Amino acid sequence: MSELNLVLLGPPGAGKGTQGERLQEDFRLPYYATGDILRSAVRGQSQLGISAKEYMERGDLVPDDVIIGVICDQLRSPEAADGFILDGFPRTTPQAEALDRAVESLGKELTAALLIDVPEEEVIRRLGGRRTCEKAGHVFHVEFNPPEKEGVCDVDGSRLIIRDDDKPEVIRHRLEQYREKTEPLVSYYEDKGLLRRIDGTASPDEVGEKIRGLLSTLRMEQET
Ligand code: AP5
């Protein structure tokens, strides 16, 4: 079976985490979500967390040199030998270039950059109603994907919270950061022939189906 080395792209709240969880289950691949890694580091008060905290609270990106090493180390680990899913990385051109170098040095290739495309008004509605599991970051929405029991994670029973960076003024700033620093990666991957656009406006199940269909096609193409 051919290897899947995937990047998930898209604005804040597009559904990268929601689909990343499903992809991880479907394909049994290691899933590296930089936002989750950083939030866990902040909770654990590690050096990484201490460096990242203020940037995250403001909705700014953490500096490239803080995050690049973290992800490149993960990609070199044995668990990523047969493929990986990256969510939230790369987010700047220097990060994308560092990823290219890391992948090349491992003798691998990226399979695709999946852009989950959702307009800004929808993103704002999604982030406004998001509830996140305190322990492991499982994601729900009060209206679009409610938990069985209000305020409680279906997966591990922990408390559901509102993320600090889901306040309206921080959401606005995160969207500005996305437009300025991350959106250029759409053309970066388009130029490399790796970009695949997914309409992210349908329900989570429908978006998941579209992604599965796309990945099957990509695998068939790789194997012929
Ligand atoms: P991160 O955690 O990566 O935040 P993000 O990219 O802003 O993405 P989100 O987690 O907000 O959204 P998502 O696309 O995963 O959507 P979700 O599935 O939750 O990063 C946080 C911070 O960390 C950054 O601001 C930065 O400071 C730092 N950081 C991280 N990576 C970095 C990097 N590489 N470099 C520098 N700094 C970095 O869905 C959203 C809501 O919508 C949920 O409630 C969900 O239930 C609902 N939903 C999902 N899909 C659908 C659907 N199809 N229909 C209806 N509702 C849906």
Side-chain angles (χ1 to χ4, degrees), residues 13 16-18 34 39 60 88 91 95 130 140 163 174 202:
K16 304 180 295 295
T18 301
T34 40
R39 278 184 291 279
D60 280 324
R91 254 181 157 100
Q95 291 181 20
R130 173 162 62 184
F140 299 86
R163 265 171 48 177
R174 285 164 62 204

Side-chain angles (χ1 to χ4, degrees), residues 66-208:
V66 171
I67 194 73
I68 285 174
V70 174
I71 287 300
C72 292
D73 285 350
Q74 301 278 16
L75 298 186
R76 283 186 210 104
S77 69
E79 67 167 14
D82 297 326
F84 55 80
I85 303 166
L86 290 176
D87 168 0
F89 186 94
R91 254 181 157 100
T92 63
T93 303
Q95 291 181 20
E97 290 166 350
L99 175 62
D100 286 346
R101 289 192 294 274
V103 166
E104 197 187 336
S105 74
L106 291 163
K108 292 169 175 280
E109 284 180 357
L110 287 181
T111 313
L114 305 183
L115 171 67
I116 306 185
D117 225 351
V118 176
E120 234 171 82
E121 327 72 85
E122 175 64 13
V123 154
I124 292 167
R125 285 205 303 152
R126 289 187 184 181
L127 293 179
R130 173 162 62 184
R131 299 293 179 269
T132 306
C133 146
E134 194 173 34
K135 189 168 152 209
H138 300 115
V139 178
F140 299 86
H141 191 281
V142 288
E143 188 185 339
F144 308 133
N145 180 24
E148 276 171 28
K149 187 170 170 211
E150 197 185 324
V152 180
C153 176
D154 290 351
V155 184
D156 60 24
S158 54
R159 197 165 64 105
L160 296 180
I161 55 163
I162 299 177
R163 265 171 48 177
D164 285 342
D165 60 353
D166 280 346
K167 295 182 192 123
E169 65 281 11
V170 186
I171 292 175
R172 271 196 300 280
H173 187 61
R174 285 164 62 204
L175 284 167
E176 282 161 19
Q177 292 276 294
Y178 175 77
R179 270 184 246 119
E180 185 189 328
K181 296 183 176 154
T182 310
E183 215 163 44
L185 297 185
V186 173
S187 346
Y188 182 92
Y189 285 117
E190 210 156 32
D191 292 347
K192 289 177 180 286
L194 289 173
L195 190 80
R196 299 289 183 275
R197 284 176 195 270
I198 312 280
D199 174 7
T201 56
S203 72
D205 285 347
E206 287 167 311
V207 176

